[in-house]
Amino acid sequence: MEFKSAFVAIVGRPNAGKSTILNSFVGEKLAAISSKPQTTRTKITGIITEDDYQLVFVDTPGVHLPKTRLGDYMNKSAMGAINGVDAAVLTVDAARDPGAAEEKIVSELRAQKVPTILAVNKIDKVAYEALLPLIDTYSKMMDFETVIPVSATKGDGMDKLFDEIKKHLVPGPMFYPEDMITDKTEREIAAEILREKLLRLLEQEIPHGIAVEIEEMKDEENIIKISANIFCEKSSHKAIVIGKKGDMLKKIGTYAREDMEKFFGKKIFLQLWVKIRDDWRNNNFMLKNMGFSGKE
Ligand code: GDP
Ligand code: MG
């Protein structure tokens, strides 16, 4: 049988459930890094390889209207992900009407003529009757290949969604080794886990001014030693990251370490350094360094 493959972008506004969908397709390991809301800034690829096919999923950062250069980068990379894919899954929240974010994504999908499946997610939150008008509204925005109501957390409709995605497989090579589930390097994964803890534990306005860098990652026999920098914009932010008597930093470190241990399946020794880096948001070097590079 001829081998088939496809690149599939999972697009949609932050919090629509893209990571949850990806995780449920790809399985446990990715869940460890991206099951929390609003966390994925960089791209995560999930890969499913079977005997006769390989699906490569591209999970994109959310689409925001750019306020800073960081916003620009994030948008570019969100849109870059649909460049040349075989199909896209537009993931939307069944409890929300389409807004500017969806308009923007749809116009890009249309411009690039990407065959798109509409996944109306979180149907567990809405009454069945509310779905039809919403689907109707979306259907006027774009000619979708198909519309699948799903609940990524409950699993409803997910098999159907997966079957629809598989229809977009085309004869082609195995792009990645069969045992690979993500193209992220271990450093990127470690940085992502740490970033997620910062987002979750810190006050709203602060994490967006924060960058994370894995300075060193040493895989030793029984332990992985990781040394990471947390860059803040201001000393007041640094103080918040550290917390009273170092409480906050300890909490961040503990949670990050626990997730890293789960992901890497090994004991982790994690050292965190909090530093001030002026205006990193507008600093190209830092953006590239943090994985916000415009190139794919
Ligand atoms: P992303 O930003 O698009 O990647 O969204 P996430 O996958 O991180 O999900 C955002 C939030 O929505 C998380 O709290 C998920 O648990 C929740 N969520 C995802 N799918 C569903 C669903 O089908 N039903 C409900 N009720 N919540 C969901
Ligand atoms: Mg996500």
Side-chain angles (χ1 to χ4, degrees):
M1 202 200 235
E2 196 176 12
F3 197 83
K4 291 182 173 177
S5 46
F7 279 85
V8 179
I10 303 190
V11 295
R13 73 159 67 229
N15 236 25
K18 301 178 295 298
S19 300
T20 310
I21 287 177
L22 183 69
N23 289 335
S24 92
F25 288 155
V26 177
E28 287 293 314
K29 271 192 155 184
L30 282 178
I33 51 169
S34 51
S35 65
K36 302 300 183 302
Q38 286 266 13
T39 60
T40 36
R41 277 188 170 187
T42 48
K43 193 177 82 177
I44 294 178
T45 319
I47 305 165
I48 296 172
T49 309
E50 295 293 342
D51 289 343
D52 53 348
Y53 71 86
Q54 180 169 73
L55 279 171
V56 182
F57 290 97
V58 193
D59 179 39
T60 62
V63 178
H64 307 278
L65 304 178
K67 287 197 188 81
T68 61
R69 193 118 137 230
L70 174 60
D72 273 344
Y73 264 94
M74 287 171 69
N75 270 345
K76 264 199 204 118
S77 114
M79 291 312 174
I82 66 167
N83 224 318
V85 295
D86 300 291
V89 177
L90 173 58
T91 306
V92 300
D93 186 332
R96 289 183 73 134
D97 286 328
E102 283 80 14
E103 300 270 359
K104 190 167 191 283
I105 299 167
V106 162
S107 74
E108 196 66 24
L109 290 165
R110 287 175 56 167
Q112 298 201 31
K113 300 196 169 60
V114 181
T116 302
I117 298 163
L118 179 66
V120 182
N121 189 29
K122 310 195 187 183
I123 53 167
D124 54 287
K125 289 205 312 194
V126 299
Y128 180 73
E129 306 80 65
L131 274 179
L132 294 177
L134 185 75
I135 290 171
D136 200 45
T137 308
Y138 273 106
S139 301
K140 286 180 182 132
M141 292 166 67
M142 184 177 172
D143 197 8
F144 293 103
E145 297 279 303
T146 178
V147 179
I148 319 276
V150 298
S151 170
T153 47
K154 296 227 157 117
D156 297 337
M158 294 297 286
D159 288 346
K160 184 133 195 293
L161 178 59
F162 194 69
D163 287 343
E164 287 298 330
I165 291 169
K166 274 168 50 183
K167 288 185 185 166
H168 295 275
L169 287 161
V170 288
M174 192 185 285
F175 289 97
Y176 298 96
E178 58 188 328
D179 57 352
M180 203 166 146
I181 56 159
T182 169
D183 72 349
K184 289 220 144 178
T185 64
E186 295 194 333
R187 268 171 191 259
E188 286 172 312
I189 290 166
E192 180 117 354
I193 290 170
L194 179 55
R195 205 177 287 133
E196 190 251 321
K197 300 306 164 206
L198 290 162
L199 283 174
R200 215 149 58 88
L201 293 169
L202 294 173
E203 292 163 42
Q204 278 278 306
E205 78 274 19
I206 293 175
H208 298 288
I210 281 180
V212 163
E213 175 194 44
I214 304 298
E215 190 165 68
E216 197 178 6
M217 189 154 175
K218 265 201 283 192
D219 198 347
E220 298 180 355
E221 204 179 340
N222 298 313
I223 199 164
I224 303 172
K225 290 184 178 167
I226 299 174
S227 173
N229 292 319
I230 298 168
F231 292 109
C232 305
E233 286 176 325
K234 304 177 191 165
S235 57
S236 60
H237 288 180
K238 179 175 168 178
I240 292 168
V241 172
I242 293 172
K244 275 201 195 95
K245 294 188 186 139
D247 274 3
M248 180 53 81
L249 189 60
K250 205 164 150 196
K251 211 160 153 186
I252 293 163
T254 303
Y255 286 156
R257 183 176 49 75
E258 285 171 0
D259 269 17
M260 288 173 186
E261 286 181 342
K262 247 188 267 160
F263 186 86
F264 294 112
K266 225 167 160 178
K267 271 201 100 53
I268 302 281
F269 175 70
L270 177 64
Q271 269 185 306
L272 299 178
W273 309 96
V274 187
K275 298 177 178 176
I276 297 169
R277 181 67 64 102
D278 288 332
D279 199 25
W280 69 265
R281 282 180 198 237
N282 288 309
N283 178 325
N284 257 321
F285 167 75
M286 282 292 286
L287 287 173
K288 289 219 176 83
N289 206 14
M290 297 302 118
F292 296 129
S293 161
K295 80 172 179 23
E296 286 304 295

